[in-house]
């Protein structure tokens, strides 16, 4: 299934490059080809192959973006390759039967006129012959190929015998010179040590067919095109009965055989033909053959076979591209097939493109472009095999095992080096074109079900890095929030989900959901059908979050499960975020969200309708506060978000009117006026979260405003200076505003129960901040309303407020009173986040 070597191209190579450099060229070319063949064989034996050859292998391994872009490149490579061989055949025909330049009429067999348009006509006729064979189908092509195989085998045998049987002779050579010709003489010396010595080194000269000066890169480009037949078999993968069996055996055999033949021919030519004959007469094998007509027929047959092989290969690639719908309606015509399954429209379209390429006129003009395209395809085949090997997927089990990632890497390196050695400009242009195709397909092509190797590689690397992420090496300098946001119904939490996405600061973000069902009473897991809706929600809202769903008998048990099990290794949630527990009826935020307001998304995903205002809640107030207490016992920070659904972030942050949007920060525990401290763990955590929000790209225009509550006689300016120094040490830019609150604290002390040193105070001192003592019962509603009014009066109104969240009381019977006080404190404040931190998160060290 690989094309036989063209002996005339070997003469061209050794004539310009000499024996040493010719052998080096063959070694480099076949090294690249050999590495690629190993990759092709590995991929071909790892599963069922369909039409498309290398395109099919690459697209199913690397995904539609790489597959589609390389498919187009490979199609162009085959198209240009077909045109190149047709032009080569035209040169051979004109050389044998053309009227010599300068003569008006031919003599004998030299009857064909020579000019650009006549040669284009000859190429068109020959290409039409290839088209007819390809239109009939693969079966007639296979029979024609076998016939050509027999002819070329006979020719090759005749040529090898001729080197030994032909006596030394002079070969007259007619060369074009202006409007006329000049005659030179080449020599067939027979085996001669002197001839061999003269042909050892390189001696690059002008190519008489194009008038261009040859070099190592240009000669290598022409030579390499004679070696590209290794993909001929894989291109016909859809027409082979057993491609996984035939491709490895046929390809490897062809590569080994052609490499030996090229090297043998190179040595025989250098030992018997002088430099003039090799450089000035590419058809010299006919002149020295014991049976010249057979050589002519063989060269014609081999070149015609190569042209047909490229044409049918291009059509199969185009058909595979069209069938995969990567380019939409642009390739819809190429899908049409005959009754026998032959893609006739793909063949015709490929023929038309080849016909256009024929206008280039000369074989060596397009050789470098074709070679770079093929090298790019070979590099990508190696890349596909390398990716499959590195991904270590259990289902990558090729029966062909004679390859490693080293061979793939060597193949890629060899292809890239030779591309830029041949033509840096063409190589750069080809890579640029490939990149444009990649980007276009990435954004425009539909998603596929082929599987993406990138996902396997990401999994492989992430697993390794997670194992390296050692929690024992955590340091406060590198702390980041890792959020678990509990969502009952996404319809009522769209803006909260977006807000927490801004708070995560490149940390872990998990959307948690508890389904209240018992798996023992169900036939199957009810969470699996919901998973796709949640993942689609994440995509639509454009948040970087994972989804974690669980079944539990109660919401509290479900949250515990998620806090214990969410995350992996060093990536576990350290902060629990809950919506606020109040009596407000939930509003459908998804219905108003821009991602779901288009005509195609009239019904957002598959989430149930929101709870009506009169419908009972799924959890009680006591259970809600119990969730907060559980999280704090598990050393998780807690955020309670109230009225975040009323936050119109786009309007708040993009309004042009001054003043700039602000973020109000109250780092004081307003429910504990008797322990007003600004530098405890919780206050610092609250400052950190406000700063993290301000660092998010969407919130950078906002300004932090920090409120310092002061009483008369407590040296407020000294407190302000101390707080300013703290902010400076923490590198937090914020405006400090002094707020007198003597009237507020007076309300608290007036309502405190128990004499000084009484039981209430002793209990408070004993339990301290850790267990939130009976101070809950000592704070009156009047005081909490006054504190709420104090917060509300600070103008201008901010985009969001951060308040200190006290710990729940140790006595669970006080949970409803605790929640009532939080509701009073935050009533009417707009978007508000209550924060309680249990871990040190700020650092003043480098």
């Amino acid at each position: 299934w690989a094309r036989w070597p063209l002996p005339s191209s070997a003469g061209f190579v050794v004539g310009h490059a000499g024996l040493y450099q010719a052998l080096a060229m063959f070694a480099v070319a076949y090294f690249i080809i050999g590495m690629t063949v190993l990759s092709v064989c590995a991929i071909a034996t790892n599963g069922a192959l369909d039409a498309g050859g290398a395109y099919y292998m690459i697209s199913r391994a690397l995904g539609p973006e790489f597959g589609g872009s390389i498919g187009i490149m490979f199609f162009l490579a085959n198209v240009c390759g077909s045109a190149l061989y047709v032009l080569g055949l035209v040169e051979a025909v004109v050389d044998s039967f053309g009227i010599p330049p300068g003569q008006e009429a031919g003599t004998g067999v030299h009857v064909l006129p020579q000019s650009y348009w006549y040669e284009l006509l000859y190429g068109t006729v020959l290409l039409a012959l290839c088209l007819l064979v390809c239109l009939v189908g693969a079966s007639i092509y296979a029979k024609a190929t076998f016939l050509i195989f027999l002819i070329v085998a006979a020719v090759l045998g005749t040529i090898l015998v001729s080197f030994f049987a032909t006596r030394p002779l002079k070969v007259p050579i007619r060369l074009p010179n202006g409007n006329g010709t000049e005659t030179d003489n080449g020599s067939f010396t027979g085996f001669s040590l002197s001839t061999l010595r003269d042909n050892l080194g390189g001696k690059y000269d002008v190519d008489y067919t194009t008038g261009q000066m040859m070099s190592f890169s240009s000669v290598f480009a022409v030579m390499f095109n004679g070696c590209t037949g290794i993909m001929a078999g894989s291109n016909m993968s859809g027409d082979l009965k057993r491609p996984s069996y035939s491709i490895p055996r046929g390809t490897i055999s062809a590569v080994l055989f052609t490499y030996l033949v090229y090297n043998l021919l190179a040595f025989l030519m250098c030992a018997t033909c002088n430099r003039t004959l090799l450089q000035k007469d590419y058809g010299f094998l006919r002149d020295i053959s014991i049976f010249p007509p057979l050589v002519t027929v063989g060269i014609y047959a081999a070149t015609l076979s190569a042209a047909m092989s490229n044409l049918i290969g291009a059509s199969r690639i185009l058909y595979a591209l069209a069938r995969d719908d990567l380019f939409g309606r642009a390739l819809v015509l190429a899908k049409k097939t005959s009754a026998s399954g032959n893609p006739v429209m793909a063949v015709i379209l490929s023929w038309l493109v080849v016909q256009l390429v024929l206008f280039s006129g000369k074989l060596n003009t397009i050789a470098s472009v074709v070679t770079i395209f093929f090298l790019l395809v070979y590099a990508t085949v190696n890349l596909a095999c390398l990716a499959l090997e590195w991904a270590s997927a259990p289902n990558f089990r090729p029966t062909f095992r004679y390859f490693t990632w080293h061979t793939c890497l060597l193949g890629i390196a060899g292809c890239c080096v030779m591309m830029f050695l041949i033509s840096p400009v063409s190589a750069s242009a080809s890579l640029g074109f490939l990149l444009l195709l990649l980007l276009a397909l990435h954004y425009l092509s539909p998603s596929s079900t082929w599987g993406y190797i990138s996902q396997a590689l990401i999994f492989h690397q992430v697993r390794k890095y997670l194992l390296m992420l050692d929690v024992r090496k955590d340091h406060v300098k590198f702390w980041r929030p890792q959020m678990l946001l509990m969502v009952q119904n996404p319809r009522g939490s769209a803006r909260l989900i977006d807000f927490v996405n801004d708070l995560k600061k490149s940390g872990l973000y998990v959307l948690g959901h508890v389904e209240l069902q018992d798996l023992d009473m169900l036939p199957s897991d009810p969470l699996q059908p919901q998973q796709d809706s949640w993942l689609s929600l994440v995509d639509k809202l454009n948040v970087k979050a994972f989804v974690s769903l669980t079944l539990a008998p109660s919401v509290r048990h479900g949250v515990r499960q998620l806090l214990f099990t969410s995350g992996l290794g060093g990536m576990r949630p350290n902060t629990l975020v809950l919506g606020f527990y109040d009596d407000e009826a939930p509003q459908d935020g998804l219905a108003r969200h821009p991602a779901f307001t288009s005509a195609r998304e009239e019904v957002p995903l598959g989430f149930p309708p929101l709870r009506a205002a009169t419908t009972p809640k799924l959890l009680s107030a006591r259970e809600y506060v119990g969730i907060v207490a559980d999280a704090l016992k598990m050393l998780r920070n807690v955020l309670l978000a109230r009225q975040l659904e009323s936050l119109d972030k786009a309007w708040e942050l993009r309004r042009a009117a001054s003043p700039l949007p602000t973020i109000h920060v109250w780092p004081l525990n307003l429910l504990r006026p008797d322990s007003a401290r600004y530098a405890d763990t919780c206050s610092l955590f609250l400052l950190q979260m406000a700063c993290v929000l301000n660092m998010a790209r969407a919130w950078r225009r906002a300004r932090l405003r920090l409120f310092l509550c002061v009483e008369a006689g407590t040296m407020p300016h000294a407190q302000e200076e101390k707080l300013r120094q703290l902010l400076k040490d923490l590198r937090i830019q914020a405006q400090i505003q002094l707020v007198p609150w003597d009237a507020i604290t007076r309300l608290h002390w007036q309502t405190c129960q128990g004499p000084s040193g009484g039981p209430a105070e002793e209990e408070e001192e004993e339990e301290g901040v850790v267990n939130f003592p009976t101070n809950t019962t000592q704070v009156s509603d009047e005081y909490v309303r006054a504190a709420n009014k104090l917060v509300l009066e600070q103008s201008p109104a901010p985009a969001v407020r951060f308040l200190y969240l006290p710990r729940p009381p140790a006595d669970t019977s006080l949970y409803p009173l605790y929640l009532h006080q939080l509701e009073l404190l935050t009533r009417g404040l707009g978007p508000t986040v209550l924060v309680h931190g249990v871990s040190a998160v700020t650092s003043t060290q480098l």
Side-chain angles (χ1 to χ4, degrees), residues 17 45 190 194 223 356 379 382 434 480 490 509 574 594 646 677 708 779:
T45 58
S194 175
M223 181 276 298
L356 292 175
N382 284 300
L434 176 64
R480 66 182 72 238
Y509 184 18
N574 56 29
S646 66
R677 291 183 296 172
L708 177 60
V779 177

Side-chain angles (χ1 to χ4, degrees), residues 220-261:
F220 180 85
V222 175
M223 181 276 298
F224 191 81
N225 283 289
C227 310
T228 55
I230 64 161
M231 289 295 185
S234 63
N235 288 345
M236 297 290 293
S237 55
D239 300 294
L240 296 172
K241 291 182 179 179
R242 297 173 59 193
S244 297
Y245 175 87
S246 304
I247 289 176
R249 285 161 178 79
T251 306
I252 292 175
S253 301
V255 167
L256 292 175
F257 180 78
T258 53
Y259 179 66
L260 292 175
V261 169

